[in-house]
Amino acid sequence: MPLSEDEKSELVAYLDGELDDAATQAVEAKVATNPDARAELDALKQTWGMLDYLPKASPSPNFTNRTMERLSLEKVNAAKTQPMPGAPVPWRVGAIWTAAVLVASVGGYLATTHFWPASPTSDPIAPDSDLPIVQHLRLLEKWRQYENADDIKFVEKLTDPDLFGEDPT
Amino acid sequence: MALTGETSTQLALRDPDIRLMLRVRDDDAEAFAELVELYHHRLVTVMHHLVGNAEEAEDLAQEVFLRVYRGRKKYHPKAKFSTWLYTIANNLALNILRTRQRKPTIPLNVRDSGPLGPRPAEQLVLDRHAQPEDRIQQQELAAVVKQALETLNERQRIAVVLNKFEDMNYAEIAEVMGLTTKAVKSLLSRARDNLRVVLQDYIHMNEPGQERKDEG
């Protein structure tokens, strides 16, 4: 009958010396009476022993020196990237420059508009201020005559030829 | 392993490595060099078994030591120094193994690649039928065991390596890996059962008559 996961776990813990006295005795009793448990225990023990065949690591003899060199290099790099005491922080310098440019732009604009206000004649595409006079030139030329008339109907009647025809006499 | 009820001073008096690390905390580079010298062989061995490549293992071990130095100011002796060291190593190794799992870099034979190719554990089963007694020499057996270890998931592999090569007990492994002792027991049980299944047909080569010649 195959062993359960818990039974296998107990066998492994037994091999690793991780069981208390009572559990150790229980495993030993099972192994003594159960051939499957005995075979499993042997197989686990031998498999564990096979890990000794793994190739042995042999670190290079200058491992410690190389590690210390790498540490020194790291310290030098850290010192390079660290700002000098009292030196301005890079982001702060950038912020100061941005603020200076902004103040100069706004100040310049205000000064220009204050001391040199925009002249209407200087604008080449500004509307011609003489245009209304030209359009009503005829009216203005006869303005002195029209001043004596009370209304426009009277003026229109003056153009009737019957009123100012030739004198019969 | 966490040593409760002991003050830092008591721990430092008992563990010379903690005394060294406390000097490192005070920027003593010489003490750091001593720690590297003391632990580098063990750490490179552990990393080598985890990543399977000697050169990469050295680079990773070096990175672990540098992390120890960078984190020196945060060091408080609550456990053995080696527990702290291997906790850092565990975190680094887990990242590397998980990244590798997402982006495998090991070149495969064309016939083995693709979704239909055999996985490492399946390949071992195929190799078994080719009369391993005649074909596999000791070096090849080492390769088989290495391949078997690679069939374990990253947590199982780390637990096995710490247990086998660092001789850590379950409580120490639990501390390093951030698990409960019960979880470690279960992890190691599954790992050893997996290894047993994969290496089943090679076990006879590890019998007394076949002991390694370079041992002893």
Side-chain angles (χ1 to χ4, degrees), chain A residues 5-19 39-72 74-75, chain B residues 29 32-33 36-37 40-41 44-45 48-49 58-59 61-63 65-66 69-70 138 141-142 145-146 149 160 163-165 169-170 185-186 188-190 192-193 195-196 199 202-203 205-207 210-212 215:
Chain A
E5 288 300 316
D6 282 346
E7 286 171 322
K8 284 181 184 176
S9 183
E10 286 296 285
L11 287 181
V12 171
Y14 171 76
L15 288 173
D16 287 337
E18 293 279 343
L19 297 180
E40 181 78 13
L41 188 74
D42 286 344
L44 285 169
K45 199 190 290 183
Q46 294 199 53
T47 305
W48 200 238
M50 287 182 78
L51 292 181
D52 290 329
Y53 283 93
L54 284 170
K56 299 277 186 291
S58 48
S60 42
N62 60 349
F63 181 92
T64 303
N65 287 341
R66 284 195 299 116
T67 307
M68 295 309 287
E69 278 168 17
R70 209 173 135 185
L71 179 67
S72 302
E74 206 169 273
K75 281 180 179 173
Chain B
F32 180 66
V36 174
E37 191 58 30
H40 80 277
H41 202 287
V44 170
T45 300
H48 190 192
H49 291 318
E58 279 209 18
D59 286 345
Q62 209 169 47
E63 179 58 28
F65 284 120
L66 290 176
Y69 193 83
R70 284 180 212 132
Q138 192 167 305
L141 188 57
V145 177
K146 184 169 175 269
L149 195 63
V160 163
N163 189 214
K164 173 73 183 174
F165 299 100
N169 61 35
Y170 290 6
K185 185 181 176 186
S186 166
L188 277 170
S189 172
R190 276 182 274 123
R192 288 177 74 156
D193 195 36
L195 287 174
R196 185 192 58 75
L199 295 172
Y202 298 91
I203 284 174
M205 298 188 75
N206 189 38
E207 284 167 357
Q210 303 280 340
E211 287 295 324
R212 298 179 71 180
E215 280 182 352

Side-chain angles (χ1 to χ4, degrees), chain A residues 20 70 77-78 92 97 117 137 152 155 157 162:
Chain A
D20 58 26
R70 209 173 135 185
N77 287 339
R92 202 177 293 163
W97 271 106
L137 186 60
I152 191 69
V155 175
K157 279 182 182 173
D162 293 340

